[in-house]
Amino acid sequence: MEQIQLELQVRQEIGSGEVKKLRAAGFLPGVVYGGDEKPVAVKLLKKHIDRVLRQHAGESLLFNIQLVDGGKKAADFVALLKE
């Protein structure tokens, strides 16, 4: 199974009004959770995930996630996309 490289940024914008502004700026909000770690609010450029999903339509994909917090690499892990 192919692994897709994806860089996510930790987001500080919480709440429906702030998330609406993020979407207007071209970002897609999300949450990374699982294992023993606390959930982390994240954002990524919508055009990046749209391109990946278009190229791999209908396939199950593993994502190699690089989590970036304030320009510094915070974590690396493999994840499945859910909804």
Side-chain angles (χ1 to χ4, degrees), residues 1-29:
M1 185 179 290
E2 185 177 357
Q3 285 192 11
I4 307 296
Q5 194 77 7
L6 199 58
E7 184 177 297
L8 302 179
Q9 299 171 18
V10 175
R11 68 178 160 98
Q12 307 305 319
E13 301 87 349
I14 305 294
S16 60
E18 295 296 319
V19 168
K20 188 175 181 179
K21 291 175 188 175
L22 269 179
R23 287 189 178 112
F27 286 93
L28 186 63

Side-chain angles (χ1 to χ4, degrees), residues 12-81:
Q12 307 305 319
E13 301 87 349
I14 305 294
S16 60
E18 295 296 319
V19 168
K20 188 175 181 179
K21 291 175 188 175
L22 269 179
R23 287 189 178 112
F27 286 93
L28 186 63
V31 177
V32 174
Y33 60 91
D36 296 332
E37 301 296 320
K38 289 185 176 182
V40 178
V42 296
K43 64 183 176 181
L44 72 149
L45 283 173
K46 186 175 183 322
K47 66 181 180 180
H48 290 165
I49 193 69
D50 284 346
R51 184 182 66 233
V52 168
L53 294 177
R54 213 175 25 252
Q55 290 174 349
H56 300 281
E59 297 178 33
S60 293
L61 298 173
L62 286 175
F63 289 92
N64 186 6
I65 304 290
Q66 290 183 352
L67 193 58
V68 178
D69 188 4
K72 295 180 183 177
K73 190 173 172 181
D76 272 342
F77 52 89
V78 177
L80 285 171
L81 184 65

